[in-house]
Amino acid sequence: MDYFILLCVSGIAIGVIYGLIGMGYALIFKATSVVNFAQGEVMMLISYMAFAIARSWTLPFWGLLAVCVVLSAVVGLLIERIFIRPMLGQDVFSTVMVTIGLAVMIRALVVMIWGADPLVLPTDIGDSGVEIGLVFLYTSQLYAIGLLALCVIGMWVFLRFSRTGVAMRATAARETTALLMGINVTYVYALAWAIAAVIAGIAGVLLGTIYGLGPDMWTQGLRAFPAVILGGLDSVFGAAISGVFIGLLENMSEGYIGRGLKEISGFLVILVVLMIRPYGLFGTPEIERV
């Protein structure tokens, strides 16, 4: 029983990271119909930027997170303005290829600046935690769960009730109609990339705090992709929920079946979901989006 609980706790901890990264994937796809294959690399870049800030200034965890949120928004806006906006009007495939090239560039940039050695993100929460029954939860894990919940609630309120959120949903549904209604589609696209970068930045700070930094962090973005497929490429909330499920599935498959299954279990889910329900558990069928 203790082993099962341990697997659940560690699975939820990494699943929360998958959920945050998946929300960024889904938001950009929902607004622009583009799959951003650089989402994991953006997360890694913000993590290393957080490391540089933490080494230069003594900031509490929440102060560091606030600074990184602002930096993430700037990074997202710069990526959209420099790499994505010139691709407006081009084939979606061409834009996706740009994101793949951007991903490779960010990986190389991180290694050039910070090196390839593993690093520890210094924060003031350390290894502190609380014991709840048979479960010991690190403070960083509790923060991760709480921040995922806040992001989900915040995105729901934003997309449901704010004028900009409604404009984003309208653009995602019918871009031509949104243009005719006077919606600034370029602004909507830029905002979507900025918000997705902010969510990736939050995931990066949490991942660096819990597991440390390394040049292979970008693979977490790839491993979060099954959560997006499972939840639905256009479902921000489905991606968040599915991320936790994928984290649990990975840990359970490794703990009870075999070590090698952890890396492939999520992608096995992709194969099954694409055959049975291609638009995901919470996604919208293509015929209903056009």
Side-chain angles (χ1 to χ4, degrees), residues 111-286:
V111 174
M112 286 172 58
I113 297 175
W114 288 282
D117 295 329
L119 300 172
V120 176
L121 181 60
T123 61
D124 60 344
I125 56 178
D127 295 328
S128 61
V130 295
E131 191 168 348
I132 304 174
L134 299 174
V135 181
F136 180 83
L137 292 171
Y138 290 102
T139 303
S140 54
Q141 293 174 331
L142 291 172
Y143 284 176
I145 295 169
L147 284 167
L148 176 64
L150 284 176
C151 286
V152 169
I153 294 170
M155 286 304 304
W156 179 76
V157 172
F158 171 74
L159 292 173
R160 182 81 175 177
F161 299 108
S162 72
R163 290 174 61 90
T164 305
V166 172
M168 187 175 289
R169 288 164 55 204
T171 303
R174 292 180 182 269
E175 180 182 315
T176 304
T177 304
L179 284 167
L180 293 173
M181 294 298 293
I183 294 174
N184 188 341
V185 173
T186 303
Y187 169 76
V188 169
Y189 284 178
L191 184 63
W193 280 85
I195 295 175
V198 166
I199 297 174
I202 293 173
V205 173
L206 290 168
L207 188 64
T209 302
I210 298 172
Y211 299 105
L213 307 178
D216 60 344
M217 286 179 68
W218 64 271
T219 59
Q220 301 302 324
L222 184 62
R223 292 173 66 171
F225 197 67
V228 190
I229 300 299
L230 177 62
L233 262 173
D234 63 334
S235 176
V236 178
F237 315 114
I241 296 169
S242 299
V244 178
F245 173 78
I246 292 296
L248 285 169
L249 176 66
E250 284 187 353
N251 264 31
M252 293 300 172
S253 61
E254 180 183 48
Y256 288 109
I257 302 177
R259 183 176 181 81
L261 279 178
K262 181 173 185 177
E263 285 71 27
I264 67 171
S265 56
F267 296 95
L268 291 175
V269 169
I270 285 184
L271 295 177
V272 175
V273 171
L274 288 177
M275 288 188 291
I276 299 175
R277 194 177 172 91
Y279 47 87
L281 298 179
F282 304 94
T284 305
E286 184 69 25

Side-chain angles (χ1 to χ4, degrees), residues 75-149:
V75 168
L77 290 172
L78 287 174
I79 289 174
E80 191 278 333
R81 185 66 183 87
I82 297 171
F83 298 100
I84 305 302
R85 192 172 301 180
M87 300 301 297
L88 288 178
Q90 303 298 319
D91 292 339
V92 171
F93 178 76
S94 300
T95 308
V96 170
M97 292 304 297
V98 168
T99 68
I100 293 174
L102 177 64
V104 175
M105 186 181 71
I106 292 176
R107 289 180 221 163
L109 184 66
V110 166
V111 174
M112 286 172 58
I113 297 175
W114 288 282
D117 295 329
L119 300 172
V120 176
L121 181 60
T123 61
D124 60 344
I125 56 178
D127 295 328
S128 61
V130 295
E131 191 168 348
I132 304 174
L134 299 174
V135 181
F136 180 83
L137 292 171
Y138 290 102
T139 303
S140 54
Q141 293 174 331
L142 291 172
Y143 284 176
I145 295 169
L147 284 167
L148 176 64

